[in-house]
Amino acid sequence: CGSKILKGFIPPYECTAVQRILDCGGVLLGKTNLDEFAMGSSCEHSAFGPVRNPWDPQRVPGGSSGGSAAAVASGQVPLALGTDTGGSIRQPAAFTGTLGLKPTYGRVSRYGAVAYASSFDQIGPFGRTPRDLALLLQAIAGKDPNDSTSMHVEVPDYVGGLDRARTEGLKGLRVGVPKEQGLDGVQEDIRRSYQQSLTTLEQLGASVVEVSLPHLVHALATYYIIVPAEASSNLARYDGVRYGHRTERSESLEQMYCRTRAEGFGPEVKRRIMMGSFVLSSGYYEAYYRRAQQVRTLIINDYKAAFANFCDVIATPVSPTAAFKLGERMHSPLEMYLADVLTVPINLAGLPALSLPCGLDPTGLPVGLQLIAPPFQELRLLQAAESFLQQQPFDVLPLKKDSAFATGAQ
Ligand code: GLN
């Protein structure tokens, strides 16, 4: 979890997703760095220090699952797992020129994954090709009696389904483009890649249609109310009593709790605990938490209406910018949160979404395209990504012989 509070902690049981990989003959090389308790968008909030972007070590790899993304991008592993509560698979994938898939809420068991915001979290794969994503998703998807939120929905043949995409293209696929989603905060270069990507989809036989998702303008605010509320409740368990860090300086039980938590949690986690406790506190619960839950329903209904009437997938950029510089946003939590504006709506609605590389910006940094589908239509996303990359190939990071990653010096 990238946290001091779990220093030395060894989990007593295996996570379902990991167990399923082992059952399929997979080999685990290690655990990767992340923002503390998955809270962040840059992989700089870790007790172990920051992760660097293999494309440019002065830049962040995105977060929170930036370690997984960097490991795949730098060729250390072909596949990695991440969790995505508000973009933590898709945004690092976009920043590192890899592919990342956030499955539908309920597609993959979260048993054994540390809870961040329980009504949002999903485990998903990183890879360098849609086929790799399909292979890993195939292994980890499906009902698990140990996670009551995992659903009894048949797991399709993702890998086989990709072969069909290769022969059929995207004829008839209706691609929705949200009309209210002003791309105001989105950098010019990112907008250009996005427009180019829509053209590529059209060349493959897809039709691009405008869709209306009027409540998405409230998604970021809604996310940053509900998620800290859930997080503050989930983090209450770290009290220094049974496991993890415990302060050495305490004269009473209460002091032990307070000092343990003060010493164990980093600044971003403390900020989330305070925001979450605030929006749940009496007097503010109705104004913030309850209201945010109501807006969440409106956002869910916006997507439902769009998919029921107008489109098969929705396409947006993944992030308003390409990978930013290390330290650039650490002074401003709000600026950090704004990096999530295009990814959090999907988690509010529990939908599957995939990030794939759609080009480089003028400085040579990767740019991502986000495709969103109705619940349990991951195959549709994989097929679209496969066709897209056939038409508009992306060269994954060429490993330089003398790079820090190639020599293991990092
Ligand atoms: N950046 C978002 C947050 O800090 C999303 C993180 C995630 O998906 N784990 O909440």
Side-chain angles (χ1 to χ4, degrees), residues 34-42 45 63-65 82-92 102 116-117 120-122 220 223-224 227-228 268 272 336-340 343-344 347:
L34 73 163
D35 284 299
E36 186 176 359
F37 284 108
M39 297 171 186
S41 316
S42 67
H45 296 300
S64 63
S65 304
T83 61
D84 192 315
T85 301
S88 278
I89 294 175
R90 289 160 287 153
Q91 187 248 24
K102 183 204 96 73
Y116 169 9
F120 293 72
D121 306 340
Q122 260 297 289
L220 193 68
Y223 175 90
Y224 275 99
V227 163
E268 184 58 30
R272 306 288 179 110
M336 194 69 95
Y337 301 166
L338 283 170
D340 307 331
T343 48
V344 298
N347 302 73

Side-chain angles (χ1 to χ4, degrees), residues 52-385:
R52 289 165 188 273
N53 191 322
W55 289 77
D56 175 355
Q58 298 312 315
R59 291 180 185 267
V60 304
S64 63
S65 304
S68 298
V72 171
S74 58
Q76 298 176 62
V77 288
L79 298 167
L81 291 179
T83 61
D84 192 315
T85 301
S88 278
I89 294 175
R90 289 160 287 153
Q91 187 248 24
F95 279 15
T96 58
T98 56
L99 284 91
L101 173 66
K102 183 204 96 73
T104 310
Y105 186 78
R107 178 75 293 181
V108 177
S109 164
R110 295 152 333 142
Y111 182 68
V114 172
Y116 169 9
S118 307
S119 75
F120 293 72
D121 306 340
Q122 260 297 289
I123 297 176
F126 283 95
R128 287 162 166 252
T129 64
R131 195 178 187 81
D132 282 353
L133 290 188
L135 279 166
L136 188 47
L137 183 63
Q138 198 84 57
I140 62 178
K143 177 71 188 165
D144 172 15
N146 284 327
D147 177 358
S148 62
T149 68
S150 69
M151 305 251 300
H152 262 301
V153 175
E154 199 195 330
V155 179
D157 177 4
Y158 294 118
V159 181
L162 281 187
D163 295 332
R164 282 201 298 282
R166 221 164 281 131
T167 51
E168 288 167 19
L170 297 179
K171 219 156 278 144
L173 189 81
R174 297 166 304 163
V175 178
V177 170
K179 76 167 168 218
E180 298 84 356
Q181 177 185 295
L183 295 175
D184 294 345
V186 176
Q187 262 176 12
E188 189 55 42
D189 304 326
I190 306 281
R191 265 190 259 180
R192 212 171 298 127
S193 297
Y194 173 56
Q195 292 304 338
Q196 167 60 45
S197 302
L198 296 177
T199 307
T200 302
L201 289 166
E202 282 177 327
Q203 284 163 355
L204 286 160
S207 56
V208 172
V209 293
E210 253 192 1
V211 293
S212 173
L213 303 164
H215 299 95
L216 257 65
V217 289
H218 305 300
L220 193 68
T222 307
Y223 175 90
Y224 275 99
I225 292 171
I226 304 176
V227 163
E230 294 188 13
S232 66
S233 156
N234 276 324
L235 291 165
R237 71 190 61 161
Y238 301 100
D239 56 9
V241 174
R242 290 198 189 84
Y243 54 85
H245 174 73
R246 181 190 297 179
T247 185
E248 283 167 5
R249 308 173 296 123
S250 66
E251 276 143 33
S252 66
L253 183 62
E254 193 179 337
Q255 212 176 59
M256 193 281 279
Y257 290 147
C258 293
R259 289 216 171 132
T260 294
R261 289 168 66 83
E263 290 165 11
F265 291 135
E268 184 58 30
V269 174
K270 287 177 183 160
R271 189 175 293 123
R272 306 288 179 110
I273 292 173
M274 287 192 285
M275 288 199 291
S277 307
F278 178 78
V279 300
L280 289 175
S281 60
S282 81
Y284 295 101
Y285 178 90
E286 300 282 331
Y288 291 102
Y289 184 73
R290 167 89 83 88
R291 170 90 45 111
Q293 291 289 13
Q294 289 165 338
V295 177
R296 184 177 193 176
T297 303
L298 296 175
I299 291 171
I300 293 170
N301 290 341
D302 278 358
Y303 280 114
K304 268 194 193 147
F307 285 128
N309 303 313
F310 302 108
C311 61
D312 307 303
V313 297
I314 294 171
T316 73
V318 180
S319 165
T321 66
F324 43 90
K325 291 228 166 78
L326 256 94
E328 196 179 288
R329 301 198 179 190
M330 287 299 273
H331 61 281
S332 164
L334 187 60
E335 262 184 56
M336 194 69 95
Y337 301 166
L338 283 170
D340 307 331
V341 66
L342 296 163
T343 48
V344 298
I346 289 89
N347 302 73
L348 282 159
L351 300 172
L354 185 150
S355 167
L356 72 155
C358 64
L360 299 177
D361 76 359
T363 65
L365 291 168
V367 178
L369 173 69
Q370 174 168 246
L371 299 173
I372 307 152
F376 297 100
Q377 299 303 322
E378 284 82 0
L379 181 54
R380 195 181 292 172
L381 297 177
L382 292 163
Q383 287 171 333

